[in-house]
C-alpha cells in the first residue's frame, strides 16, 4: 500500500480539511491512527418463529465496521451472515440492540428515514442482478437516473469513469448476456459505486467465478475501498479470498461471533470451530444437521393419534 | 452525503471566464455548476478557468461536470483550466486517472498565462 493509499484510508469528506500527517511530521513511535467507525451493531439479537418453533438467528452480535477497511463476514450456511447483512441495510429490525451509521442511531428509523441512510450504501448482489434487457451503460446509469437529477451528459461521463475503474471502459453497448461471469460482477460493482457510496456491501462477490476472475474482483474491492475511503462489508464463503482482501474477518456460528480478527489471527486460531471452517472438514463442532433438537427425541414426540 | 451547497462566483476578464467555487461539488450541487459552466460554451469565450481552491470535496458527478469543460475545450480549441486543487480533490482526480488529462495550475496568475 502506498502512503497516499494509507492517507486516503482515513479520509472523511464530511470533515474539514486538515493537514495530512506524514512520516516527516508524525511524532516518532506515534501509534497508527485508528480508522473511524462507519457502522456499529451493538448487542443485536434476532429470532424467528414463536414458542417451540422460535429460533435464535442472531444473539448479542457486536461489531464495528471501519472507514476505508474491508470487513468480511464468514460462516457456514445458516450461521447468521445474511441476517447480519439484512440488519445492516435496514431490511430487518433487531428484536433488541442498536445499529449506528456514522454515529447516528438508525434502529428506529422509518422507511423514509432509511431511504436517506441507504443513499450512503452501494450493493453488489451475488448474481450481479443486472437487467438483461439493458445495455451495460444503462445498467450502470440506472441508480444515477433513478436517484439524482443529473443531466444525461453528466451521467454518461460518470458511467464511463466508473467503467474505467473496473477496467471495462468500451463495453458500454454490450448486453449482460454477452458478458462473462467475471465481467458481470465487475459491471455490478461499477453500478454499486455509481452514486459514490460511503459503504458498499458485497454479497458473495466471488461465487461461481474462476480463480483469475476472483483475483480481479478481490483487487477491485481492495483498491476501491482504500483509494475511495469506502467501508466494505463482504459476505463470503471463499476463505482464500477473505484472507486476501480483509482487514478484519468476523466468523459466525449459530448466530454468534466465534472469531473476530485479522487474517493472520484467524490462521493461528486454535478454536476448533474456526479450524474446522478453515479446513473445510465435515466433522467437528459445526454439525452437518441444522436441527436444534435431537432426532430421537423429535421422533418420539411425533404424535399422529 | 448531504450536500453542503456551493457558491459560484463569476468573473469575465475580456472573454476569459473565471469561475470560483466554494463548497462541496457533489450530486446535489454539480448541476448548478454545470448550468453556469455551459452558459459560457460559446464563441465569445476565450478561455475558462475554474478555481477549486475552496472546494474541499468533489465526487464523480463534479468530475464529470468538469470533463464537459474539457470536451468544450477540445472541440473549440480554447483553454479550459483548473486552479488550486485541494489535497483531497487532487487525490480524487488521481483515483479517476484524470489529473494528467486536465490543465491544472497552482495559482490563478499561473492559469492566466498563455490563455
Amino acid at each position: 500500500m502506498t502512503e497516499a493509499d494509507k492517507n486516503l484510508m482515513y479520509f472523511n469528506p464530511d470533515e474539514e480539511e486538515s493537514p495530512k500527517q506524514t512520516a516527516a511530521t508524525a511524532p516518532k513511535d506515534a501509534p497508527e491512527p485508528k480508522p473511524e467507525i462507519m457502522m456499529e451493531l451493538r448487542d443485536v439479537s434476532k429470532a424467528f418463529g414463536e414458542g417451540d418453533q422460535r429460533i435464535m438467528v442472531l444473539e448479542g452480535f457486536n461489531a464495528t465496521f471501519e472507514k476505508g477497511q474491508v470487513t468480511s463476514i464468514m460462516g457456514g450456511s445458516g450461521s447468521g451472515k445474511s441476517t447480519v447483512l439484512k440488519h445492516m441495510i435496514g431490511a430487518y429490525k433487531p428484536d433488541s440492540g442498536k445499529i449506528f451509521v456514522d454515529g447516528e442511531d438508525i434502529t428506529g428509523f422509518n422507511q423514509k428515514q432509511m431511504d436517506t441512510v441507504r443513499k450512503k450504501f452501494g450493493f453488489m448482489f451475488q448474481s450481479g442482478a443486472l437487467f438483461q434487457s439493458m445495455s451495460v451503460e444503462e445498467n450502470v446509469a440506472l441508480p444515477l437516473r433513478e436517484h439524482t437529477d443529473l443531466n444525461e451528459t453528466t451521467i454518461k461521463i460518470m458511467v464511463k469513469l466508473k467503467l474505467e475503474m473496473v477496467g471495462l471502459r468500451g463495453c458500454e453497448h454490450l448486453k449482460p448476456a454477452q458478458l462473462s461471469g467475471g465481467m458481470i460482477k465487475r459491471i455490478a460493482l461499477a453500478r454499486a459505486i455509481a452514486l459514490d457510496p460511503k459503504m458498499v456491501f458485497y454479497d458473495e462477490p466471488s461465487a461461481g467465478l474462476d480463480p483469475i476472475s476472483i483475483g480481479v474482483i478481490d483487487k477491485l474491492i481492495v483498491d476501491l475501498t482504500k483509494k475511495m475511503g469506502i467501508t466494505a462489508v463482504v459476505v463470503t464463503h471463499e476463505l482464500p479470498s477473505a484472507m486476501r482482501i480483509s482487514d478484519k474477518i468476523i466468523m459466525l456460528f449459530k448466530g454468534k461471533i466465534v472469531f473476530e480478527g485479522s487474517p493472520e489471527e484467524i490462521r493461528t486460531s486454535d478454536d476448533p470451530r474456526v479450524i474446522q471452517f478453515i479446513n473445510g472438514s465435515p466433522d467437528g463442532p459445526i454439525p452437518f444437521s441444522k436441527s436444534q433438537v435431537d432426532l430421537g427425541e423429535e421422533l418420539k414426540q411425533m404424535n399422529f393419534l | 452525503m448531504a450536500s453542503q451547497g456551493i457558491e459560484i462566483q463569476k468573473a469575465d476578464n475580456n472573454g476569459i471566464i473565471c469561475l470560483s467555487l466554494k463548497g462541496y461539488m457533489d450530486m446535489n450541487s454539480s448541476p448548478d455548476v454545470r448550468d453556469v459552466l455551459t452558459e459560457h460554451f460559446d464563441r465569445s469565450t476565450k478561455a475558462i478557468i475554474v478555481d477549486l481552491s475552496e472546494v474541499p470535496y468533489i465526487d464523480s458527478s463534479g468530475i464529470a461536470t468538469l470533463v464537459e469543460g474539457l470536451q468544450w475545450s477540445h472541440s473549440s480549441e480554447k483553454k479550459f483550466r483548473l486552479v488550486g486543487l485541494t489535497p483531497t480533490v487532487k487525490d480524487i482526480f488521481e483515483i479517476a486517472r484524470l489529473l494528467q488529462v486536465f490543465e491544472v495550475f497552482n495559482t490563478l496568475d499561473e492559469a492566466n498565462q498563455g490563455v
Side-chain angles (χ1 to χ4, degrees), chain A residues 274-292:
Chain A
V274 175
I275 293 169
Q276 185 189 357
F277 193 85
I278 290 174
N279 295 334
S281 171
D283 300 315
I286 302 175
F288 165 72
S289 173
K290 297 295 170 197
S291 174
Q292 298 184 346

Side-chain angles (χ1 to χ4, degrees), chain A residues 30-303:
Chain A
E32 282 247 331
K34 275 192 177 178
E36 291 174 68
I37 294 169
M38 176 68 197
M39 183 179 271
E40 180 180 1
L41 275 70
R42 197 179 293 170
D43 208 18
V44 169
S45 294
K46 182 78 175 174
F48 293 123
E50 289 178 359
D52 292 347
Q53 306 290 312
R54 186 175 166 85
I55 297 173
M56 206 69 184
V57 288
L58 211 56
E59 198 173 340
F61 183 91
N62 283 296
T64 54
F65 300 87
E66 284 77 18
K67 294 178 181 178
Q69 298 218 336
V70 179
T71 302
S72 293
I73 302 174
M74 305 196 73
S77 302
S79 60
K81 303 187 300 291
S82 299
T83 309
V84 171
L85 193 64
K86 285 173 180 166
H87 278 92
M88 294 179 83
I89 64 175
Y92 286 165
K93 294 280 182 202
D95 293 341
S96 62
K98 288 191 179 299
I99 300 170
F100 298 85
V101 174
D102 254 349
E104 185 176 28
D105 183 356
I106 64 157
T107 320
F109 272 20
N110 60 30
Q111 191 64 39
K112 195 176 171 188
Q113 289 170 310
M114 271 316 297
D115 286 346
T116 306
V117 174
R118 286 195 195 101
K119 284 183 181 169
K120 297 175 180 176
F121 299 163
F123 307 92
M124 183 177 151
F125 299 100
Q126 185 172 350
S127 62
L130 300 183
F131 289 95
Q132 297 296 314
S133 60
M134 292 182 180
S135 67
V136 163
E137 182 185 68
E138 289 167 331
N139 266 289
V140 178
L142 190 65
L144 296 164
R145 291 185 175 132
E146 290 288 319
H147 299 293
T148 74
D149 297 321
L150 297 170
N151 69 85
E152 274 304 301
T153 309
T154 308
I155 288 175
K156 282 183 188 293
I157 294 169
M158 287 174 74
V159 169
K160 203 169 272 298
L161 296 176
K162 301 298 178 188
L163 289 176
E164 170 70 9
M165 282 183 169
V166 299
L168 289 175
R169 181 167 49 86
C171 296
E172 288 90 334
H173 60 289
L174 297 176
K175 292 276 177 68
Q178 296 169 299
L179 305 173
S180 69
M183 289 166 82
I184 285 174
K185 297 273 176 135
R186 285 153 76 180
I187 299 299
L189 182 47
R191 189 176 63 184
I193 58 168
L195 288 165
D196 290 356
K198 296 174 85 172
M199 190 163 190
V200 179
F201 299 93
Y202 301 89
D203 188 11
E204 299 285 358
S206 23
L209 296 182
D210 64 84
I212 294 172
S213 297
I214 290 175
V216 170
I217 292 291
D218 285 351
K219 185 173 186 315
L220 279 172
I221 291 173
V222 172
D223 283 354
L224 291 170
T225 303
K226 303 302 178 192
K227 290 179 180 173
M228 294 174 73
I230 288 173
T231 306
V233 180
V234 182
V235 170
T236 182
H237 281 105
E238 304 281 342
L239 188 67
S241 176
M243 297 292 242
R244 268 200 303 268
I245 66 176
S246 307
D247 295 290
K248 179 166 71 181
I249 295 174
I250 294 171
M251 190 173 283
L252 286 171
F253 174 56
K254 285 188 176 175
K256 288 182 183 170
I257 295 176
V258 294
F259 172 85
E260 181 178 352
S262 68
E264 186 50 38
E265 287 166 333
I266 204 170
R267 267 189 210 102
T268 53
S269 171
D270 55 6
D271 186 313
R273 295 163 300 187
V274 175
I275 293 169
Q276 185 189 357
F277 193 85
I278 290 174
N279 295 334
S281 171
D283 300 315
I286 302 175
F288 165 72
S289 173
K290 297 295 170 197
S291 174
Q292 298 184 346
V293 181
D294 179 74
L295 174 63
E297 286 302 313
E298 189 164 334
L299 289 172
K300 283 180 209 166
Q301 286 172 19
M302 288 175 81
N303 187 359

